[in-house]
Amino acid sequence: MEQPHDLTVEAPRAWDRPAVTVPVLVCLSLVGGRFPSFSTEANLWTLGTGGVLIWLGLSNRVPRRPAPRRLGTPAAWWALPVVVFGVFEGTTFVLAAGDDFPTFSRLADPLLEDQLVRSAVWLGWLSAFWGLVRR
């Protein structure tokens, strides 16, 4: 006897549950935090994990969450400081202003010398990227 489709529910894949994805993201961030900033290993690790997440996002292997409805006017106001910050960062990077106007990454270097802080930043980056993959 065949079941009607109205009564069936799709179960999430075993690897797509938070009990699996969170420890995987933590392990990836702990490995990424062990590499020194701007080293060849760190760059390869960043490109590798980012590449895998981009591949997962472009393929249909990850179930999608519904996209949020349209953003309101208050959300547009948050774009203004982000754009100003991006223009400032890009200008100081391209002009190589040095110590007169350091980029944010240069200012953050003393904080990122600690492996635990670097791992926490990695976890934030991977979590945000995973959220984008799910959309």
Side-chain angles (χ1 to χ4, degrees):
M1 178 170 207
E2 191 173 328
Q3 293 287 332
H5 292 288
D6 297 344
L7 299 177
T8 59
V9 177
E10 271 189 51
R13 296 177 181 170
W15 59 267
D16 193 33
R17 296 185 177 133
V20 175
T21 56
V22 171
V24 167
L25 293 179
V26 167
C27 288
L28 289 173
S29 66
L30 288 174
V31 170
R34 292 191 47 83
F35 299 129
S37 294
F38 301 109
S39 66
T40 304
E41 296 88 2
N43 290 336
L44 290 174
W45 187 254
T46 303
L47 291 172
T49 55
V52 168
L53 288 173
I54 288 172
W55 174 72
L56 283 173
L58 294 176
S59 70
N60 288 328
R61 297 185 191 286
V62 178
R64 306 277 186 220
R65 291 186 178 161
R69 39 185 203 97
R70 192 171 171 199
L71 295 175
T73 307
W77 283 105
W78 281 101
L80 180 65
V82 170
V83 168
V84 168
F85 177 76
V87 168
F88 178 73
E89 279 288 299
T91 304
T92 55
F93 180 74
V94 169
L95 295 178
D99 291 333
D100 294 335
F101 296 101
T103 60
F104 183 70
S105 61
R106 193 167 196 178
L107 291 173
D109 272 346
L111 293 173
L112 294 176
E113 288 177 3
D114 184 29
Q115 287 184 359
L116 186 61
V117 173
R118 231 180 5 251
S119 293
V121 170
W122 257 96
L123 182 61
W125 180 76
L126 285 172
S127 300
F129 210 155
W130 181 248
L132 290 175
V133 165
R134 298 290 311 267
R135 292 285 172 196

